[in-house]
Amino acid sequence: MEKLNATISELGNEWEMMKSENMVILFNEDSPQELRDISVVHDGAVSEIVEAGDVMELGDESYDILFVGGKANETLRELGHATFQFNGQSDSDLPGTICLEKKEIPSLEIGQKVIIKSN
């Protein structure tokens, strides 16, 4: 079951810097302008609760979700926002963080899909 099916509509000027830190910061199109520079902006909305064990697809790559912070589903629902850390960790002190397996983040382009689904 798909929990998020979104299309990238904008890549912030500094999103590559976040990528070099093994992070992708998602926001929907209603995000504040001051956050867009570091963000991957999308047109989607979460339809179900995201949980550890789900899978995120970015471009042609798939990533296992290992941890979902206590506020991540709330911010995904309200702002289309979460910080995705591709660090292989199964916990985080930051409540809006989702941790994924440690794999290289692909190059992203406007029009690509971001999908989160049950495994």
Side-chain angles (χ1 to χ4, degrees):
M1 163 196 337
E2 285 188 356
K3 298 180 176 189
L4 173 69
N5 185 330
T7 302
I8 296 172
S9 58
E10 184 180 332
L11 293 168
N13 296 332
E14 298 179 26
W15 97 266
E16 291 270 356
M17 179 185 69
M18 304 312 292
K19 177 183 171 187
S20 71
E21 299 290 327
N22 297 318
M23 277 190 266
V24 170
I25 299 174
L26 285 186
F27 267 104
N28 67 19
E29 294 175 328
D30 296 330
S31 66
Q33 191 60 44
E34 61 270 16
L35 297 174
R36 287 181 179 244
D37 280 345
I38 60 169
S39 300
V40 173
V41 180
H42 65 91
D43 68 355
V46 152
S47 61
E48 299 287 331
I49 292 174
V50 176
E51 304 170 299
D54 290 345
V55 174
M56 180 181 201
E57 295 177 0
L58 283 175
D60 295 332
E61 295 292 327
S62 293
Y63 304 86
D64 292 335
I65 295 175
L66 306 176
F67 171 80
V68 178
K71 287 280 195 185
N73 276 293
E74 180 182 331
T75 59
L76 273 170
R77 199 172 39 257
E78 292 176 4
L79 305 168
H81 166 65
T83 299
F84 293 86
Q85 291 191 325
F86 297 78
N87 59 7
Q89 301 293 313
S90 58
D91 63 12
S92 174
D93 293 337
L94 303 172
T97 296
I98 296 176
C99 297
L100 301 98
E101 65 183 301
K102 187 172 184 163
K103 283 175 37 180
E104 187 174 337
I105 301 168
S107 294
L108 298 179
E109 300 173 5
I110 293 171
Q112 278 184 316
K113 289 290 193 180
V114 177
I115 295 172
I116 297 176
K117 62 184 182 181
S118 302
N119 192 5

